[in-house]
Amino acid sequence: MKLKYRCLFVFILVILINNAQQIPSFRTYEWERAGNNQQVEYFDSVNVLDYGALGDGQTENSQAFQQSLFALSVNGGILYVPNGNYYFSDPLQLSDNILLKGNGAENTTLVFDLDANETDLINVEGTIENTNYEVRYSSFLQDSILILNQGLGSVFTESDYIQIYKNDSSFITSSWALKTVGQILKIKEVIGDTIYLESKLRTDYPINKEPFIRRINPIKNVGIECLKISRLDTQQVHCANIKFEYAVNSYVKGV
């Protein structure tokens, strides 16, 4: 009798383990597009030492780095930072097609000491437009199309980036987070007022949640690699050493 109950217990346990490993389909998503999958070629290169930078840990380098960025062509390129400790009292701003590259994290250090009004050290920031474009019909998880109100499709073109929003008050616990639940998407094609997306939706956007989209103007193709960051200031607010905001096809490696 004991053996019978023991076998029954093992059988039930196996069933529970198998079920625990099965994620419901409504919670899954195809992540094969995740990560930086586009290889960028940088055809131009400048050495910051050629534009007045000094890696002695004391000389202020903000202006020298800015001059180095100006020296790159309009198509961008590699901003090379050789061995040394490079001091900054202002944050760095990186634009499209820039690779900020040191000579290894053990050799190249960027040292920041900012005042209280400046928080983030290295900024890669695109913008988002304030105009809302209303979605006409419901769209759901795994869909790859959005249908806008009549006439709004002409505002967008292939390869535009958008962010979709909805009334998310039931998902959040603080008022500051209203309309933060959404997804950034790239447009594959526009036909009339129908937008075809390169990626599938990761959640539902029913019409009763008042979905709408905004256009994004992202920073593109920025890399930061092979260096160390040292921060001397202490900020009283949330801040970032490297901040990506509305940036695409960008990465950090070996930092």
Side-chain angles (χ1 to χ4, degrees):
M1 182 65 69
K2 289 183 179 179
L3 179 61
K4 177 180 178 181
Y5 284 114
R6 184 177 300 172
C7 292
L8 179 61
F9 173 76
V10 171
F11 178 72
I12 294 173
L13 182 61
V14 169
I15 293 176
L16 290 174
I17 292 174
N18 287 336
N19 288 338
Q21 293 176 339
Q22 295 177 0
I23 301 175
S25 60
F26 69 89
R27 293 180 57 193
T28 63
Y29 185 77
E30 299 175 6
W31 291 101
E32 71 276 2
R33 295 178 59 86
N36 182 13
N37 299 312
Q38 299 181 29
Q39 186 66 37
V40 179
E41 290 189 70
Y42 300 96
F43 296 103
D44 197 4
S45 178
V46 300
N47 188 320
V48 295
L49 297 182
D50 295 333
Y51 294 87
L54 288 175
D56 58 7
Q58 298 178 346
T59 302
E60 219 294 327
N61 283 286
S62 299
Q63 188 62 33
F65 268 62
Q66 192 62 56
Q67 292 299 320
S68 301
L69 289 169
F70 287 151
L72 290 170
S73 68
V74 293
N75 295 320
I78 300 172
L79 189 68
Y80 176 63
V81 190
N83 293 12
N85 297 321
Y86 297 84
Y87 175 79
F88 298 89
S89 59
D90 292 312
L92 290 179
Q93 310 287 334
L94 300 183
S95 56
D96 289 340
N97 307 310
I98 296 295
L99 170 56
L100 177 62
K101 185 174 184 178
N103 194 39
E106 69 279 6
N107 299 315
T108 302
T109 302
L110 307 186
V111 182
F112 292 86
D113 191 359
L114 308 187
D115 65 37
N117 296 319
E118 298 169 324
T119 57
D120 304 310
L121 304 186
I122 301 176
N123 296 283
V124 184
E125 299 177 278
T127 59
I128 186 167
E129 298 178 2
N130 290 324
T131 303
N132 299 342
Y133 300 94
E134 295 178 353
V135 176
R136 186 175 182 182
Y137 297 113
S138 298
S139 294
F140 300 100
L141 175 72
Q142 303 292 350
D143 282 351
S144 57
I145 65 169
L146 297 171
I147 302 176
L148 304 184
N149 279 351
Q150 188 171 4
L152 296 184
S154 61
V155 176
F156 299 93
T157 61
E158 177 186 339
S159 297
D160 277 351
Y161 286 87
I162 60 172
Q163 184 162 357
I164 183 169
Y165 301 83
K166 62 181 175 181
N167 184 337
D168 53 11
S169 58
S170 60
F171 295 94
I172 62 160
T173 57
S174 299
S175 59
W176 63 263
L178 280 169
K179 293 193 168 56
T180 58
V181 176
Q183 184 176 347
I184 292 177
L185 301 152
K186 187 177 182 181
I187 294 177
K188 182 178 182 180
E189 186 179 14
V190 181
I191 300 178
D193 294 318
T194 301
I195 291 179
Y196 295 84
L197 307 168
E198 286 198 357
S199 303
K200 297 178 181 179
L201 296 177
R202 297 175 187 165
T203 188
D204 297 334
Y205 293 90
I207 198 64
N208 66 338
K209 292 294 185 179
E210 303 170 338
F212 64 92
I213 64 174
R214 290 179 179 174
R215 191 203 316 272
I216 292 173
N217 302 303
I219 295 293
K220 302 176 182 178
N221 308 325
V222 172
I224 302 171
E225 62 180 61
C226 302
L227 54 84
K228 180 168 70 175
I229 296 172
S230 175
R231 183 166 200 154
L232 303 181
D233 61 86
T234 57
Q235 299 288 348
Q236 300 301 313
V237 297
H238 293 295
C239 53
N241 290 342
I242 299 175
K243 180 182 180 181
F244 286 103
E245 185 172 21
Y246 300 122
V248 299
N249 197 35
S250 299
Y251 70 94
V252 176
K253 180 173 67 175
V255 174

